């Protein structure tokens, strides 16, 4: 009887421990415990001012997006990603994988590995992780998980190369806020999808490659990869293979383009994740200078802060005094499509994003690297005031570094490709309205208008138009000269045409012979749906050839 009683108590105790363990494990796996960016932690030590902290967050911030839940959306196990990319470079031979091949692969898709960040000597980029990827260690106590994971962040799209005086790009020095016009997220995602298929086919080869690339990896992390990360990756690949057989249910376009609307529709359930959305909602990555002058955000002004007028003029005084927090609240919602965060979690990033907005408000675009004809630029200033300022803003009289005085926030129809306007529709607006951001921070609207862009830093933002369909500012100003096809991705800057340096050859605008690109270029065909180069004709009609030349000189200064 005593033995039975003891056995019963032992069994009940074991069941209690099992239940408690199961409860703790479930709680641990589901709790919010994001990893911190390793590079950010190192840089924060050197951040002496709020401005330098904002720069560090912009360059290396994770914004809470490295966690177990984002591994289901946008984040990836870093060792697995590196190993499959390296195996693709070495034709599947684990004995030949090396970091040099990994770095070369990322560079091919336009990711930067700078030695320095312009004006920020305290920020030290990684030699192994591309700028714009945040790397952190995700850990849980029970089960004892430990995993190095990465997620994309601000600087992937919004940090571009510097340029030498002859227009040659220098990707070893990055400029924060400048668009990364070489970044090809579409080709990158397709390539990684194929590499994962091949790399996960043999677990032995995969882990041999991981061991070679990460010789100091702990047993805990190896077990987490073996029993958690790799099985999850295989399951996700099987799901994709049986439905889309594509990495994403939307198209990101080409170098310098993103498709935030397509990603957002998928994340909010407006479109099905197992059905491919072929609509062309991609947008050319803008320069982030003078963003506080914008009264509404996105290419169509679809996002405005609550209780504000959507399209209204903003002066420099208002832009400088503007509270960064409401802007950061809107910007935090961008992490839903880009970083895969659930809408309810993005609000936690607002304080750090406020520091980023403060940093951007105080930053200026770097100056044009080449010569500027002062006489022609002065004449071009008058042309700009007459032909451009009513939509693109009024600048002060400086002939070295003109600063924006006021921005009209004009929006309307100038005859450009309407594809981006078509995709931000009522179902998406309704889905945004149902989120916490839609209820507290964002006034979303289907505007059916193109918001005139800011032109600060425009010389470094090619290709032009919302959809990136025009290679140079000269082509924009002379509509009949626009090429049907042109090359983009890792281009040299044209000192005279302003934009992608090129020559016409066999009916296409291509890089000059002998130019060595630092990323993999793509030939854009503007007859493709979503890439039409038409529009903005009336706005430049009547300008003489000399007025166009003078205007180009002035635009170098902005």
């Amino acid at each position: 009887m005593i033995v039975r009683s003891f056995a019963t108590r032992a069994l009940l105790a074991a069941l209690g421990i099992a239940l408690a363990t199961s409860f703790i494990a479930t709680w641990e796996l589901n709790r919010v415990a994001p990893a911190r960016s390793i590079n950010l932690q190192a840089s924060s030590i050197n951040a002496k001012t709020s401005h330098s902290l904002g720069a560090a967050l912009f360059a290396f911030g994770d914004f809470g997006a490295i966690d177990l839940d984002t591994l289901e959306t946008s984040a990836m196990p870093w060792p697995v990603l590196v190993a499959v990319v390296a195996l693709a470079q070495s034709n599947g031979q684990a004995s030949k994988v090396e970091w040099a091949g990994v770095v070369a692969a990322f560079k091919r898709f336009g990711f930067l590995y700078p030695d320095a960040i312009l004006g920020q000597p305290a920020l030290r980029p990684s030699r192994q992780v591309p700028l714009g990827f945040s790397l952190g260690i995700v850990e849980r106590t029970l089960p004892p998980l430990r995993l190095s994971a990465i997620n994309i962040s601000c600087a992937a799209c919004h940090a571009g190369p510097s340029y030498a005086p002859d227009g040659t790009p220098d990707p070893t020095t990055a400029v924060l806020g400048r668009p990364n016009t070489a970044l090809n997220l579409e080709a990158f995602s397709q390539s990684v999808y194929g590499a994962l298929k091949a790399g996960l086919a043999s677990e032995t080869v995969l882990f041999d490659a991981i061991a070679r690339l990460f010789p100091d990896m702990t047993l805990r992390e190896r077990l987490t990869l073996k029993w958690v990360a790799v099985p999850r990756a295989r399951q996700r690949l099987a799901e994709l293979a049986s439905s889309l057989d594509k990495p994403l249910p939307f198209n990101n376009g080409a170098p310098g383009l993103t498709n935030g609307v397509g990603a957002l529709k998928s994340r909010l359930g407006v479109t099905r994740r197992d059905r491919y959305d072929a609509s062309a909602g991609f947008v050319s990555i803008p320069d982030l200078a003078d963003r506080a002058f914008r009264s509404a955000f996105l290419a169509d002004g679809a996002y405005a802060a609550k209780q504000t007028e959507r399209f209204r003029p903003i002066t420099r005084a208002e832009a400088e005094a503007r509270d960064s927090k409401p802007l950061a609240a809107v910007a935090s919602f961008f992490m839903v499509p880009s970083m895969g965060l659930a809408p309810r979690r993005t609000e936690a990033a607002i304080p750090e994003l406020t520091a980023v907005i403060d940093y951007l408000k105080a930053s200026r675009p770097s100056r044009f690297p080449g010569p500027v004809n002062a006489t022609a630029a002065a004449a071009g200033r008058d042309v700009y005031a007459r032909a451009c300022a009513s939509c693109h803003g009024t600048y002060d009289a400086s002939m070295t570094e003109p600063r924006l005085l006021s921005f009209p926030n004009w929006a309307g129809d100038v005859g450009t490709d309407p594809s981006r306007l078509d995709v931000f529709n009522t179902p998406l607006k309704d889905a945004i309205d149902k989120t916490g951001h839609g209820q507290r921070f964002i006034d979303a609207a289907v505007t059916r208008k193109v918001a005139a862009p800011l032109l600060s830093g425009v010389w470094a933002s090619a290709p032009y138009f919302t959809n990136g369909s025009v290679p140079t500012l000269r082509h924009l100003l002379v509509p009949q000269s626009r090429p049907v096809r042109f090359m983009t991705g890792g281009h040299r800057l044209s000192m005279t045409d302003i934009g992608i340096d090129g020559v016409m050859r066999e009916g296409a605008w291509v890089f000059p012979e002998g130019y060595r690109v630092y990323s993999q270029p793509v030939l854009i065909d503007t007859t493709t749906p979503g890439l039409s180069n038409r529009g903005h004709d009336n706005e430049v009609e009547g300008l003489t050839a000399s007025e166009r030349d003078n205007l180009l000189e002035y635009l170098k200064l902005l």
Side-chain angles (χ1 to χ4, degrees), residues 353-407:
L353 282 168
T354 299
V356 170
I357 299 296
D358 285 340
Y359 161 73
L360 290 172
K361 283 171 61 177
S363 300
R364 297 286 305 139
S366 52
R367 297 178 67 173
F368 185 75
V372 178
N373 183 313
T375 301
R381 179 181 58 186
D382 296 336
V383 178
Y384 177 89
R386 186 179 78 247
C388 312
S390 61
C391 291
H392 296 289
T394 301
Y395 287 79
D396 63 27
S398 171
M399 290 307 298
T400 54
E401 295 183 73
R403 294 197 61 191
L404 198 58
L405 289 175
S406 64
F407 188 67

Side-chain angles (χ1 to χ4, degrees), residues 212-228:
R212 185 175 177 86
L213 294 163
F214 298 91
D216 299 325
M217 181 180 289
T218 65
L219 175 62
R220 184 179 172 190
E221 185 158 4
R222 284 200 299 271
L223 291 175
T224 301
L225 287 172
K226 182 174 181 62
W227 298 110
V228 179

